[in-house]
Amino acid sequence: MNTQRSAELFQRAQKSIPGGVNSPVRAFKSVGGNPLFIERGKGAWLYDADGNAYVDYVGSWGPLILGHADERILAAVREALERGTSFGAPTQLETTLAEMVKEIVPGLDLVRFVSSGSEAAMAALRVARGFTGREKIIKFAGCYHGAVDALLVKAGSGATTLGVPDSAGVTAGVAADTLLADFNNLAQVEALAAQNPGRIAAVILEAIPGNMGMIWPDESFLKGLRALCDREGIVLICDEVMTGFRVGLTGAQGLLGLKPDLSIFGKVIGGGMPVGAYGGRRDIMEKVAPLGPVYQAGTLSGNPVAMAAGMATLRVIREPGFFQRLEAKSKRLMDGFAQAAKEQNLPLQTLYAGGMMGFFFAQQPVKDYTQALASHSKRYVAFFQAMLAEGVYLAPSAFEALFVSEAHGEDDIAKTLAAARKAMAQAAQVPA
Ligand SMILES: *Cc1c(COP(=O)(O)O)cnc(C)c1O
């Protein structure tokens, strides 16, 4: 496969953009080689600058649940565009999308739109702090909530007390207000709460994590978190940026019966345009300006073109049967990968829900970040490279989820599974 043109474009990009990319994972650092420069997408397919075609399971990292350049989205965007790209004044589109989101996800009394998932996470934390008058938050190692200072903290070697910044430029002061626990470990959260009585504003989690690979939560863990937050007056924030409108119509919270106080959204809610949202309990959301004292604002928030793309997406996915059809594809893919691994005697753990999938080269189901890091990521790299050579585009990292769209057809899946057979043979070459 010739990727000369992509290599040239990457060289050129690096002269003007840090690392040649506008979001780090795009640089292919953890899988080696040059990133592919994409020229266009259609349906389940991506086309790179050298004219190579790939079945795409990244889907712009989640938003493209209808596939690339879906005609229904394009029509809605064109119509909105013709009326103007931005007004900095309210439009009916924002209210309509807010009403749709509220209809779909129970428990959202008020919703505020922003332009990214990171922005939604940052705002939700501020609101939780403003509402409770407390400073500290608890997050889970391996859960990602965007490039937000206070959230760029994870556990080093199982440390679960004070946060250590994960990024240069995050001050120790900010990190010190972020407490860490391991995912699926309620006892650690209980201990943190006991050590910091009346000082914890929020617990934030991905109820089904997808940023350390895909991980399933224990039912008792989620129940325990809800009870703890109720008892201690802590705001429970469910980050549905990845899972919302993706693992099922009502997101991870609907699937798992979790009732958060606040939820944050992104990705699918914008149908491929920059949209994030946060919302939840009325008494908490009433703290947001101009109703209340917590300031949060955005010049392009609720952008009409982006709202139109989100509405067009939600209209399709709320039709009966949409998620059953999507999940049947995820099941076929993950069952096929598992079978291909078995043929090579490779231990593989697979998971899926709705249109989200994940797998680890590991002996046992992966329950937290430490276990995720202990999985055989070198095998993933070999598998990834072999799949790419066969024309299948997976996430360029062992610790990301995969996404299937409405546009993925029988032929695309059959092609993917044939490629997976060959790629597992390559992965099997990597020593244990
Ligand atoms: C992608 C993601 C974010 C950040 O969203 P951006 O739109 O990239 O800022 C936050 N939380 C989760 C769970 C995500 O997957």
Side-chain angles (χ1 to χ4, degrees), residues 112 278 285-297:
R112 170 63 65 83
Y278 64 100
M285 290 300 291
E286 279 178 346
K287 297 290 177 200
V288 178
L291 272 185
V294 177
Y295 192 70
Q296 183 273 314

Side-chain angles (χ1 to χ4, degrees), residues 23 61 115-121 143-147 205-206 208-211 239-243 264-267 275-276 400 403:
S23 203
W61 298 95
S115 299
S116 72
S118 299
E119 212 186 332
C143 280
Y144 178 69
H145 308 290
L205 83 161
E206 297 178 75
I208 302 173
N211 286 287
D239 180 344
E240 297 263 23
V241 174
M242 184 181 288
T243 50
I264 68 174
F265 300 94
K267 300 193 170 121
V275 181
E400 299 285 353
F403 304 105

